[in-house]
Amino acid sequence: MMTKISVLSISIAFSLFAQTPVFDPPVYVQANGVNINVGYGGNASPFVVDWDGDGKQDLLLGQFDMGRVRFYTNIGTNYNPTFGDFVYLQASGAYISVSYG
């Protein structure tokens, strides 16, 4: 009987103190001071990683159109990232693409 009371009291306490999460409004990521636009309704797959090995987190962005992958170098800092122009990633002179659609 004690086990049931303990589980019930934990459940009630959790319900009383649980709060609905509050999220900040979305923001656009910018490159050269302009919102990044990948077209097709904004379908994109962002990934942040130090791609060029300089210690700053860069932006890789898969786009819906042809599955190409954009690389935005971070010309700012990790705490205040600033992204410049993008280039499409290539391997052996061909664009890297991933499944899309």
Side-chain angles (χ1 to χ4, degrees):
M1 194 65 146
M2 288 298 281
T3 304
K4 289 183 181 178
I5 294 172
S6 296
V7 171
L8 179 60
S9 64
I10 291 171
S11 177
I12 291 171
F14 181 75
S15 296
L16 291 175
F17 295 107
Q19 296 180 8
T20 303
V22 177
F23 298 99
D24 289 332
V27 296
Y28 287 98
V29 177
Q30 295 187 338
N32 289 325
V34 178
N35 294 346
I36 294 176
N37 180 356
V38 294
Y40 291 98
N43 294 315
S45 298
F47 186 73
V48 178
V49 63
D50 180 14
W51 186 260
D52 56 11
D54 65 357
K56 297 183 282 186
Q57 299 293 302
D58 305 304
L59 176 65
L60 294 181
L61 187 63
Q63 67 180 48
F64 186 81
D65 181 28
M66 299 171 45
R68 292 190 178 159
V69 180
R70 295 179 178 193
F71 167 65
Y72 294 85
T73 187
N74 182 356
I75 55 177
T77 67
N78 283 330
Y79 297 103
N80 189 18
T82 302
F83 301 107
D85 290 328
F86 74 90
V87 295
Y88 289 113
L89 291 184
Q90 295 185 16
S92 300
Y95 292 115
I96 295 173
S97 65
V98 294
S99 297
Y100 65 97

Coordinates of all heavy atoms in Angstrom, one line a residue:
M1 N 0.8 -1.2 0.0 CA 0.0 0.0 0.0 C 0.9 1.3 0.0 O 0.5 2.2 -0.7 CB -0.9 0.0 1.2 CG -2.0 1.0 1.1 SD -3.1 0.6 -0.3 CE -4.6 1.1 0.3
M2 N 2.0 1.3 0.7 CA 2.8 2.4 0.8 C 3.4 2.8 -0.6 O 3.5 3.9 -1.0 CB 4.0 2.2 1.7 CG 3.6 2.2 3.2 SD 2.9 3.8 3.7 CE 4.4 4.7 3.9
T3 N 3.7 1.8 -1.4 CA 4.2 2.0 -2.8 C 3.2 2.8 -3.6 O 3.6 3.8 -4.3 CB 4.6 0.7 -3.5 OG1 5.5 0.0 -2.6 CG2 5.2 1.0 -4.8
K4 N 2.0 2.5 -3.6 CA 0.9 3.1 -4.4 C 0.8 4.6 -3.9 O 0.7 5.5 -4.7 CB -0.4 2.4 -4.3 CG -0.4 1.1 -5.0 CD -1.8 0.5 -4.9 CE -1.8 -0.9 -5.6 NZ -3.0 -1.5 -5.6
I5 N 0.8 4.8 -2.6 CA 0.7 6.2 -2.1 C 1.9 7.0 -2.5 O 1.8 8.2 -3.0 CB 0.6 6.2 -0.6 CG1 -0.8 5.6 -0.2 CG2 0.7 7.6 0.0 CD1 -1.0 5.3 1.3
S6 N 3.1 6.5 -2.5 CA 4.3 7.2 -2.9 C 4.3 7.6 -4.3 O 4.6 8.7 -4.7 CB 5.6 6.4 -2.6 OG 5.7 6.1 -1.2
V7 N 3.9 6.6 -5.2 CA 3.8 6.9 -6.6 C 2.8 8.0 -6.9 O 3.0 8.9 -7.7 CB 3.5 5.6 -7.4 CG1 3.2 5.9 -8.9 CG2 4.7 4.7 -7.3
L8 N 1.6 7.9 -6.2 CA 0.6 8.8 -6.4 C 1.0 10.2 -6.0 O 0.8 11.2 -6.7 CB -0.7 8.4 -5.7 CG -1.9 9.3 -5.7 CD1 -2.3 9.5 -7.2 CD2 -3.0 8.8 -4.9
S9 N 1.7 10.3 -4.8 CA 2.1 11.6 -4.3 C 3.1 12.2 -5.2 O 3.1 13.4 -5.5 CB 2.6 11.5 -2.9 OG 3.7 10.7 -2.8
I10 N 4.0 11.4 -5.8 CA 5.0 12.0 -6.8 C 4.3 12.5 -8.0 O 4.6 13.5 -8.5 CB 6.1 10.9 -7.1 CG1 6.9 10.6 -5.9 CG2 6.9 11.3 -8.3 CD1 7.8 9.4 -6.0
S11 N 3.3 11.7 -8.5 CA 2.6 12.1 -9.7 C 1.9 13.4 -9.4 O 1.9 14.3 -10.3 CB 1.6 11.0 -10.1 OG 0.9 11.4 -11.2
I12 N 1.2 13.6 -8.3 CA 0.5 14.8 -8.0 C 1.5 16.0 -7.9 O 1.2 17.1 -8.4 CB -0.4 14.6 -6.7 CG1 -1.5 13.7 -7.0 CG2 -0.9 16.0 -6.2 CD1 -2.3 13.3 -5.7
A13 N 2.6 15.8 -7.2 CA 3.6 16.8 -7.0 C 4.1 17.3 -8.4 O 4.3 18.5 -8.6 CB 4.7 16.4 -6.1
F14 N 4.4 16.4 -9.2 CA 4.9 16.7 -10.6 C 3.9 17.5 -11.3 O 4.2 18.5 -12.0 CB 5.3 15.4 -11.4 CG 5.8 15.7 -12.7 CD1 7.1 16.2 -12.9 CD2 5.0 15.5 -13.8 CE1 7.6 16.5 -14.1 CE2 5.5 15.8 -15.1 CZ 6.8 16.3 -15.2
S15 N 2.6 17.1 -11.3 CA 1.5 17.8 -11.9 C 1.4 19.2 -11.4 O 1.1 20.2 -12.2 CB 0.2 17.1 -11.8 OG 0.3 15.8 -12.4
L16 N 1.5 19.4 -10.1 CA 1.4 20.7 -9.5 C 2.5 21.7 -9.9 O 2.3 22.9 -10.0 CB 1.3 20.6 -8.0 CG 0.0 20.0 -7.4 CD1 0.1 19.8 -5.9 CD2 -1.2 20.8 -7.8
F17 N 3.7 21.2 -10.0 CA 4.9 22.1 -10.3 C 5.3 22.1 -11.7 O 6.2 22.9 -12.1 CB 6.0 21.6 -9.4 CG 5.7 21.8 -7.9 CD1 5.5 20.7 -7.1 CD2 5.6 23.1 -7.4 CE1 5.2 20.9 -5.8 CE2 5.3 23.3 -6.0 CZ 5.1 22.2 -5.2
A18 N 4.8 21.3 -12.6 CA 5.1 21.3 -14.0 C 4.7 22.6 -14.6 O 3.6 23.1 -14.3 CB 4.5 20.1 -14.7
Q19 N 5.5 23.1 -15.5 CA 5.1 24.4 -16.2 C 5.1 24.2 -17.7 O 5.9 23.4 -18.2 CB 6.1 25.5 -15.8 CG 6.1 25.9 -14.3 CD 7.1 27.0 -14.0 OE1 7.6 27.6 -15.0 NE2 7.3 27.2 -12.8
T20 N 4.3 24.9 -18.3 CA 4.3 24.9 -19.8 C 5.5 25.6 -20.3 O 5.8 26.7 -19.9 CB 3.0 25.6 -20.3 OG1 1.9 24.9 -19.8 CG2 2.9 25.5 -21.8
P21 N 6.2 24.9 -21.2 CA 7.5 25.6 -21.7 C 7.1 26.9 -22.5 O 6.1 27.0 -23.1 CB 8.1 24.6 -22.6 CG 7.0 23.6 -23.0 CD 6.0 23.7 -21.8
V22 N 8.0 27.8 -22.4 CA 7.8 29.1 -23.1 C 9.0 29.2 -24.0 O 10.2 29.1 -23.6 CB 7.8 30.3 -22.1 CG1 7.7 31.6 -22.8 CG2 6.7 30.2 -21.1
F23 N 8.7 29.4 -25.3 CA 9.8 29.5 -26.3 C 9.9 31.0 -26.8 O 8.9 31.7 -26.9 CB 9.4 28.6 -27.5 CG 9.4 27.2 -27.2 CD1 8.1 26.5 -26.9 CD2 10.5 26.4 -27.0 CE1 8.1 25.2 -26.6 CE2 10.5 25.1 -26.7 CZ 9.2 24.5 -26.5
D24 N 11.1 31.4 -27.1 CA 11.3 32.7 -27.8 C 10.8 32.6 -29.2 O 10.7 31.5 -29.8 CB 12.8 33.0 -27.8 CG 13.3 33.4 -26.4 OD1 12.5 33.8 -25.5 OD2 14.5 33.2 -26.2
P25 N 10.4 33.8 -29.7 CA 9.9 33.8 -31.1 C 11.1 33.4 -32.1 O 12.3 33.6 -31.7 CB 9.5 35.2 -31.4 CG 10.1 36.0 -30.3 CD 10.3 35.1 -29.1
P26 N 10.8 32.8 -33.2 CA 11.8 32.4 -34.2 C 12.6 33.6 -34.7 O 12.0 34.7 -34.8 CB 11.1 31.7 -35.3 CG 9.7 32.2 -35.2 CD 9.5 32.5 -33.7
V27 N 13.8 33.5 -35.1 CA 14.6 34.5 -35.7 C 15.2 34.0 -37.0 O 15.4 32.8 -37.1 CB 15.7 35.1 -34.8 CG1 15.2 35.7 -33.5 CG2 16.7 33.9 -34.4
Y28 N 15.4 34.9 -37.9 CA 16.0 34.5 -39.2 C 17.5 34.5 -39.0 O 18.1 35.4 -38.4 CB 15.7 35.4 -40.3 CG 14.2 35.3 -40.8 CD1 13.2 36.1 -40.3 CD2 13.9 34.3 -41.7 CE1 11.9 36.0 -40.8 CE2 12.6 34.1 -42.1 CZ 11.6 35.0 -41.7 OH 10.3 34.8 -42.1
V29 N 18.2 33.5 -39.6 CA 19.7 33.5 -39.6 C 20.1 34.3 -40.8 O 19.5 34.2 -41.9 CB 20.2 32.1 -39.7 CG1 21.7 32.1 -39.8 CG2 19.7 31.2 -38.5
Q30 N 21.1 35.2 -40.6 CA 21.5 36.1 -41.7 C 22.9 35.8 -42.2 O 23.7 35.3 -41.4 CB 21.4 37.5 -41.2 CG 20.0 38.0 -40.9 CD 20.0 39.5 -40.6 OE1 21.0 40.1 -40.3 NE2 18.8 40.1 -40.7
A31 N 23.1 36.1 -43.4 CA 24.5 36.1 -44.0 C 24.7 37.4 -44.7 O 23.8 37.9 -45.5 CB 24.6 35.0 -45.0
N32 N 25.7 38.1 -44.4 CA 26.0 39.5 -44.9 C 24.9 40.4 -44.6 O 24.5 41.3 -45.5 CB 26.3 39.4 -46.4 CG 27.6 38.8 -46.7 OD1 28.6 39.0 -46.0 ND2 27.7 38.0 -47.8
G33 N 24.2 40.3 -43.5 CA 23.2 41.2 -43.0 C 21.8 41.0 -43.7 O 20.9 41.7 -43.5
V34 N 21.7 39.9 -44.5 CA 20.4 39.6 -45.2 C 19.9 38.2 -44.7 O 20.7 37.3 -44.6 CB 20.6 39.6 -46.7 CG1 19.4 39.2 -47.5 CG2 21.2 40.9 -47.2
N35 N 18.6 38.1 -44.5 CA 18.0 36.8 -44.1 C 18.4 35.7 -45.2 O 18.3 35.9 -46.4 CB 16.5 36.9 -44.0 CG 16.1 37.8 -42.9 OD1 16.8 38.1 -42.0 ND2 14.8 38.1 -42.9
I36 N 18.8 34.6 -44.7 CA 19.1 33.4 -45.6 C 17.8 32.9 -46.1 O 16.9 32.6 -45.4 CB 19.9 32.3 -44.8 CG1 21.3 32.9 -44.4 CG2 20.0 31.1 -45.7 CD1 22.1 31.9 -43.6
N37 N 17.8 32.8 -47.5 CA 16.6 32.3 -48.1 C 17.0 31.1 -49.0 O 17.8 31.3 -50.0 CB 15.9 33.4 -49.0 CG 14.7 32.9 -49.7 OD1 14.3 31.7 -49.6 ND2 14.0 33.8 -50.3
V38 N 16.5 29.9 -48.7 CA 16.8 28.8 -49.6 C 15.7 28.4 -50.6 O 15.8 27.4 -51.2 CB 17.2 27.5 -48.7 CG1 18.4 27.8 -47.9 CG2 16.0 27.1 -47.8
G39 N 14.7 29.3 -50.6 CA 13.6 29.0 -51.6 C 12.7 27.9 -51.2 O 12.8 27.3 -50.1
Y40 N 11.8 27.6 -52.0 CA 10.8 26.5 -51.8 C 10.2 26.4 -50.4 O 10.2 25.4 -49.7 CB 11.5 25.1 -52.1 CG 11.8 24.9 -53.5 CD1 13.1 25.2 -54.0 CD2 10.8 24.5 -54.4 CE1 13.4 25.0 -55.4 CE2 11.1 24.4 -55.8 CZ 12.4 24.6 -56.2 OH 12.7 24.5 -57.6
G41 N 9.7 27.6 -50.0 CA 9.0 27.6 -48.7 C 9.9 27.6 -47.5 O 9.5 27.3 -46.4
G42 N 11.2 27.7 -47.7 CA 12.1 27.7 -46.5 C 12.6 26.4 -46.1 O 13.1 26.2 -45.0
N43 N 12.3 25.3 -46.9 CA 12.8 24.0 -46.5 C 14.3 23.9 -46.5 O 14.9 24.0 -47.5 CB 12.2 22.9 -47.5 CG 10.7 22.9 -47.4 OD1 10.1 22.8 -46.3 ND2 10.0 22.9 -48.5
A44 N 14.8 23.7 -45.3 CA 16.3 23.6 -45.2 C 16.6 22.7 -44.0 O 15.8 22.5 -43.1 CB 16.9 25.0 -45.0
S45 N 17.9 22.3 -44.0 CA 18.4 21.4 -42.9 C 19.7 22.0 -42.4 O 20.7 21.7 -43.0 CB 18.6 20.0 -43.4 OG 17.4 19.4 -43.8
P46 N 19.6 22.9 -41.4 CA 20.8 23.5 -40.9 C 21.6 22.6 -40.0 O 21.0 21.7 -39.3 CB 20.3 24.7 -40.1 CG 18.9 24.3 -39.7 CD 18.4 23.4 -40.8
F47 N 22.9 22.8 -40.0 CA 23.8 22.0 -39.1 C 25.0 23.0 -38.7 O 25.6 23.6 -39.6 CB 24.3 20.8 -39.7 CG 25.1 19.9 -38.8 CD1 24.5 19.2 -37.8 CD2 26.5 19.8 -39.0 CE1 25.2 18.3 -37.0 CE2 27.2 19.0 -38.1 CZ 26.6 18.3 -37.1
V48 N 25.3 23.1 -37.5 CA 26.4 24.0 -37.0 C 27.6 23.1 -36.6 O 27.4 22.2 -35.8 CB 25.9 24.9 -35.9 CG1 27.0 25.8 -35.4 CG2 24.7 25.7 -36.3
V49 N 28.7 23.4 -37.2 CA 29.9 22.6 -36.9 C 31.1 23.5 -37.4 O 31.0 24.3 -38.2 CB 29.9 21.3 -37.7 CG1 29.9 21.5 -39.2 CG2 31.0 20.4 -37.3
D50 N 32.3 23.2 -36.7 CA 33.5 23.9 -37.2 C 34.0 23.2 -38.4 O 34.9 22.3 -38.3 CB 34.5 23.9 -36.0 CG 35.8 24.6 -36.4 OD1 35.9 25.3 -37.5 OD2 36.8 24.4 -35.7
W51 N 33.5 23.5 -39.6 CA 33.8 22.8 -40.8 C 35.3 23.1 -41.3 O 35.9 22.2 -41.8 CB 32.8 23.2 -41.9 CG 32.9 22.4 -43.1 CD1 33.5 22.8 -44.3 CD2 32.5 21.1 -43.4 NE1 33.5 21.9 -45.2 CE2 32.8 20.8 -44.7 CE3 31.8 20.2 -42.6 CZ2 32.5 19.5 -45.3 CZ3 31.5 19.0 -43.2 CH2 31.8 18.7 -44.5
D52 N 35.7 24.3 -41.1 CA 37.0 24.7 -41.7 C 38.2 24.6 -40.7 O 39.3 25.0 -41.0 CB 37.0 26.1 -42.3 CG 36.5 27.2 -41.4 OD1 36.4 26.9 -40.2 OD2 36.2 28.3 -41.9
G53 N 37.9 24.2 -39.4 CA 38.9 23.9 -38.5 C 39.5 25.2 -37.8 O 40.6 25.1 -37.2
D54 N 38.8 26.3 -37.9 CA 39.4 27.5 -37.3 C 38.9 27.8 -35.9 O 39.1 28.8 -35.3 CB 39.1 28.7 -38.2 CG 37.6 29.1 -38.3 OD1 36.7 28.3 -37.7 OD2 37.2 30.1 -38.9
G55 N 38.1 26.8 -35.3 CA 37.6 27.0 -33.9 C 36.3 27.7 -33.8 O 35.8 27.8 -32.7
K56 N 35.8 28.2 -34.9 CA 34.5 28.8 -34.9 C 33.4 28.0 -35.6 O 33.7 27.3 -36.6 CB 34.6 30.2 -35.6 CG 35.5 31.2 -34.9 CD 35.5 32.5 -35.6 CE 36.4 32.4 -36.8 NZ 36.6 33.8 -37.5
Q57 N 32.2 28.0 -35.0 CA 31.1 27.2 -35.5 C 30.6 27.8 -36.8 O 30.1 28.9 -36.8 CB 30.0 27.1 -34.5 CG 30.4 26.4 -33.2 CD 30.8 24.9 -33.4 OE1 29.9 24.2 -33.9 NE2 32.0 24.6 -33.1
D58 N 30.7 27.0 -37.9 CA 30.2 27.4 -39.2 C 28.8 26.9 -39.4 O 28.3 26.1 -38.6 CB 31.1 26.9 -40.3 CG 32.6 27.4 -40.1 OD1 32.8 28.6 -40.0 OD2 33.5 26.5 -40.0
L59 N 28.2 27.2 -40.5 CA 26.8 26.8 -40.8 C 26.8 26.0 -42.1 O 27.3 26.5 -43.2 CB 25.9 28.0 -41.0 CG 24.5 27.7 -41.4 CD1 23.7 26.9 -40.3 CD2 23.7 29.0 -41.7
L60 N 26.4 24.7 -42.0 CA 26.1 23.9 -43.2 C 24.6 23.9 -43.4 O 23.8 23.7 -42.4 CB 26.6 22.5 -43.0 CG 28.1 22.3 -42.9 CD1 28.4 20.8 -42.8 CD2 28.8 22.9 -44.1
L61 N 24.1 24.1 -44.6 CA 22.7 24.2 -44.8 C 22.3 23.4 -46.0 O 22.7 23.8 -47.2 CB 22.3 25.7 -45.0 CG 20.9 26.1 -45.1 CD1 20.2 25.8 -43.8 CD2 20.8 27.6 -45.3
G62 N 21.6 22.3 -45.8 CA 21.1 21.5 -46.9 C 19.8 22.2 -47.4 O 19.0 22.6 -46.7
Q63 N 19.7 22.3 -48.7 CA 18.6 22.9 -49.3 C 17.8 22.0 -50.1 O 18.3 21.0 -50.6 CB 19.0 24.2 -50.1 CG 19.7 23.9 -51.4 CD 20.1 25.1 -52.1 OE1 20.6 26.1 -51.6 NE2 19.8 25.1 -53.4
F64 N 16.5 22.3 -50.2 CA 15.5 21.4 -50.9 C 15.8 21.3 -52.4 O 15.7 20.3 -53.0 CB 14.1 22.0 -50.7 CG 13.0 21.1 -51.2 CD1 12.6 20.0 -50.5 CD2 12.4 21.3 -52.4 CE1 11.6 19.2 -51.0 CE2 11.4 20.5 -52.9 CZ 11.0 19.4 -52.2
D65 N 16.2 22.4 -53.0 CA 16.5 22.5 -54.4 C 17.7 21.7 -54.8 O 18.8 22.1 -54.5 CB 16.6 24.0 -54.8 CG 16.9 24.2 -56.3 OD1 16.4 23.3 -57.1 OD2 17.5 25.2 -56.7
M66 N 17.6 20.6 -55.5 CA 18.6 19.8 -56.0 C 19.5 19.1 -54.9 O 20.5 18.6 -55.2 CB 19.5 20.5 -57.0 CG 18.7 21.0 -58.2 SD 19.4 22.1 -59.3 CE 21.0 21.5 -59.6
G67 N 19.1 19.3 -53.6 CA 19.8 18.6 -52.5 C 21.2 19.1 -52.3 O 22.0 18.5 -51.6
R68 N 21.6 20.3 -52.8 CA 22.9 20.8 -52.6 C 23.1 21.3 -51.1 O 22.2 21.6 -50.4 CB 23.2 22.0 -53.5 CG 23.2 21.5 -55.0 CD 23.7 22.6 -55.8 NE 23.8 22.1 -57.2 CZ 23.9 22.9 -58.3 NH1 23.8 24.2 -58.1 NH2 24.0 22.4 -59.5
V69 N 24.4 21.3 -50.7 CA 24.7 21.7 -49.4 C 25.5 23.0 -49.4 O 26.6 23.1 -50.1 CB 25.6 20.6 -48.7 CG1 25.9 21.0 -47.3 CG2 24.8 19.3 -48.7
R70 N 25.0 24.0 -48.7 CA 25.6 25.3 -48.6 C 26.6 25.4 -47.4 O 26.3 24.8 -46.4 CB 24.6 26.4 -48.5 CG 23.7 26.6 -49.7 CD 22.7 27.7 -49.3 NE 21.8 28.0 -50.4 CZ 21.1 29.1 -50.5 NH1 21.1 30.0 -49.5 NH2 20.3 29.3 -51.5
F71 N 27.7 26.0 -47.6 CA 28.7 26.2 -46.5 C 28.8 27.7 -46.3 O 29.1 28.5 -47.2 CB 30.0 25.6 -46.8 CG 31.1 26.1 -45.9 CD1 31.1 25.7 -44.6 CD2 32.2 26.8 -46.4 CE1 32.1 26.1 -43.7 CE2 33.2 27.3 -45.6 CZ 33.2 26.9 -44.2
Y72 N 28.5 28.2 -45.1 CA 28.6 29.6 -44.6 C 29.7 29.6 -43.6 O 29.6 29.0 -42.5 CB 27.3 30.1 -44.0 CG 26.2 30.3 -45.0 CD1 25.3 29.2 -45.2 CD2 25.9 31.5 -45.6 CE1 24.2 29.3 -46.0 CE2 24.8 31.6 -46.4 CZ 24.0 30.5 -46.6 OH 22.9 30.6 -47.5
T73 N 30.8 30.3 -43.9 CA 31.9 30.4 -42.9 C 31.5 31.4 -41.9 O 30.9 32.5 -42.2 CB 33.2 30.7 -43.6 OG1 34.3 30.7 -42.6 CG2 33.2 32.1 -44.2
N74 N 31.9 31.2 -40.6 CA 31.6 32.1 -39.5 C 32.8 33.1 -39.5 O 33.9 32.7 -39.1 CB 31.5 31.3 -38.2 CG 31.2 32.2 -37.0 OD1 31.1 33.4 -37.1 ND2 31.0 31.6 -35.9
I75 N 32.5 34.3 -39.8 CA 33.5 35.4 -39.8 C 33.4 36.2 -38.5 O 34.2 37.1 -38.3 CB 33.5 36.3 -41.0 CG1 32.1 36.9 -41.2 CG2 33.9 35.5 -42.3 CD1 31.9 37.8 -42.4
G76 N 32.5 35.8 -37.6 CA 32.4 36.4 -36.3 C 33.0 35.5 -35.2 O 34.2 35.1 -35.4
T77 N 32.3 35.3 -34.1 CA 32.8 34.5 -33.0 C 31.8 33.4 -32.7 O 30.7 33.5 -33.3 CB 33.0 35.3 -31.8 OG1 31.8 35.8 -31.3 CG2 34.0 36.5 -32.0
N78 N 32.1 32.5 -31.9 CA 31.1 31.5 -31.5 C 30.0 32.1 -30.7 O 28.8 31.6 -30.7 CB 31.8 30.4 -30.7 CG 32.5 29.4 -31.6 OD1 32.2 29.2 -32.7 ND2 33.6 28.8 -31.0
Y79 N 30.2 33.2 -29.9 CA 29.2 33.8 -29.1 C 28.4 34.9 -29.9 O 27.3 35.2 -29.5 CB 29.8 34.5 -27.9 CG 30.5 33.4 -27.0 CD1 31.8 33.2 -26.9 CD2 29.6 32.6 -26.2 CE1 32.4 32.3 -26.1 CE2 30.2 31.6 -25.4 CZ 31.6 31.5 -25.4 OH 32.1 30.5 -24.6
N80 N 29.0 35.3 -31.0 CA 28.3 36.3 -31.9 C 28.6 35.9 -33.3 O 29.4 36.6 -34.0 CB 28.7 37.7 -31.5 CG 27.9 38.7 -32.3 OD1 26.8 38.5 -32.7 ND2 28.4 40.0 -32.4
P81 N 28.0 34.8 -33.8 CA 28.4 34.4 -35.2 C 27.9 35.4 -36.2 O 26.8 36.0 -36.1 CB 27.6 33.0 -35.3 CG 26.5 33.1 -34.3 CD 27.0 34.0 -33.2
T82 N 28.7 35.5 -37.2 CA 28.4 36.3 -38.4 C 28.8 35.5 -39.6 O 29.9 35.0 -39.7 CB 29.2 37.6 -38.4 OG1 28.9 38.4 -37.2 CG2 28.9 38.5 -39.6
F83 N 27.8 35.3 -40.5 CA 28.1 34.4 -41.6 C 28.2 35.3 -42.9 O 27.5 36.2 -43.1 CB 27.0 33.4 -41.8 CG 26.8 32.5 -40.6 CD1 25.7 32.7 -39.8 CD2 27.8 31.6 -40.3 CE1 25.6 31.9 -38.6 CE2 27.6 30.7 -39.2 CZ 26.5 30.9 -38.4
G84 N 29.2 34.9 -43.7 CA 29.5 35.6 -45.0 C 28.7 34.9 -46.1 O 27.8 34.1 -45.9
D85 N 29.2 35.1 -47.3 CA 28.6 34.5 -48.5 C 28.7 32.9 -48.4 O 29.6 32.4 -47.8 CB 29.2 34.9 -49.8 CG 28.9 36.4 -50.1 OD1 27.8 36.8 -49.8 OD2 29.7 37.1 -50.7
F86 N 27.8 32.2 -49.1 CA 27.9 30.8 -49.1 C 28.6 30.3 -50.3 O 28.7 30.9 -51.4 CB 26.6 30.1 -48.9 CG 25.7 30.2 -50.1 CD1 25.8 29.1 -51.1 CD2 24.8 31.2 -50.4 CE1 25.0 29.2 -52.2 CE2 24.0 31.3 -51.5 CZ 24.1 30.2 -52.4
V87 N 29.1 29.1 -50.2 CA 29.6 28.3 -51.4 C 28.9 26.9 -51.3 O 28.6 26.5 -50.2 CB 31.1 28.1 -51.5 CG1 31.8 29.5 -51.6 CG2 31.7 27.5 -50.2
Y88 N 28.7 26.3 -52.4 CA 28.2 25.0 -52.4 C 29.3 24.0 -52.2 O 30.4 24.2 -52.8 CB 27.5 24.6 -53.8 CG 26.1 25.3 -54.0 CD1 26.0 26.2 -54.9 CD2 25.1 25.0 -53.1 CE1 24.8 26.9 -55.1 CE2 23.8 25.6 -53.3 CZ 23.7 26.5 -54.3 OH 22.5 27.2 -54.5
L89 N 29.2 23.0 -51.3 CA 30.2 22.1 -51.1 C 30.4 21.2 -52.3 O 29.5 20.8 -53.0 CB 29.9 21.2 -49.9 CG 29.9 21.9 -48.5 CD1 29.6 20.8 -47.4 CD2 31.2 22.6 -48.2
Q90 N 31.7 20.9 -52.6 CA 32.0 20.1 -53.7 C 33.0 19.0 -53.3 O 33.8 19.2 -52.3 CB 32.7 20.9 -54.8 CG 31.8 21.9 -55.4 CD 32.4 22.6 -56.6 OE1 33.4 22.2 -57.2 NE2 31.9 23.7 -57.0
A91 N 33.0 17.9 -54.0 CA 34.0 16.8 -53.9 C 34.5 16.4 -55.3 O 33.6 16.2 -56.1 CB 33.4 15.7 -53.1
S92 N 35.7 16.4 -55.5 CA 36.3 16.1 -56.8 C 35.7 16.9 -58.0 O 35.4 16.4 -59.0 CB 36.1 14.6 -57.1 OG 36.8 13.8 -56.1
G93 N 35.4 18.2 -57.7 CA 34.8 19.1 -58.7 C 33.4 19.0 -58.9 O 32.8 19.7 -59.8
A94 N 32.7 18.1 -58.2 CA 31.2 17.9 -58.4 C 30.5 18.4 -57.1 O 31.0 18.2 -56.0 CB 30.9 16.5 -58.7
Y95 N 29.3 19.0 -57.3 CA 28.6 19.4 -56.1 C 28.1 18.2 -55.3 O 27.7 17.2 -55.9 CB 27.3 20.2 -56.6 CG 27.6 21.5 -57.2 CD1 27.3 21.8 -58.5 CD2 28.2 22.5 -56.4 CE1 27.6 23.0 -59.1 CE2 28.5 23.8 -57.0 CZ 28.2 24.0 -58.3 OH 28.5 25.2 -58.8
I96 N 28.3 18.4 -54.0 CA 27.8 17.3 -53.1 C 26.2 17.6 -53.0 O 25.8 18.7 -52.8 CB 28.4 17.5 -51.7 CG1 29.9 17.2 -51.8 CG2 27.7 16.5 -50.7 CD1 30.6 17.4 -50.5
S97 N 25.5 16.5 -53.1 CA 24.0 16.6 -52.9 C 23.5 15.5 -52.1 O 24.1 14.4 -52.0 CB 23.3 16.7 -54.3 OG 23.5 15.5 -55.0
V98 N 22.4 15.7 -51.4 CA 21.8 14.7 -50.6 C 20.4 14.5 -51.1 O 19.9 15.3 -51.8 CB 21.8 15.2 -49.1 CG1 23.3 15.2 -48.5 CG2 21.2 16.5 -48.9
S99 N 19.7 13.5 -50.6 CA 18.3 13.3 -51.0 C 17.5 14.5 -50.6 O 17.6 15.1 -49.6 CB 17.8 12.0 -50.3 OG 18.5 10.9 -50.6
Y100 N 16.6 14.8 -51.5 CA 15.6 15.9 -51.3 C 14.3 15.5 -51.8 O 14.2 14.6 -52.6 CB 16.2 17.2 -51.9 CG 16.2 17.1 -53.4 CD1 15.2 17.7 -54.2 CD2 17.3 16.6 -54.0 CE1 15.3 17.7 -55.5 CE2 17.4 16.5 -55.4 CZ 16.4 17.1 -56.2 OH 16.4 17.0 -57.5
G101 N 13.3 16.3 -51.4 CA 11.9 16.1 -52.0 C 11.1 15.3 -51.2 O 10.4 15.0 -50.6

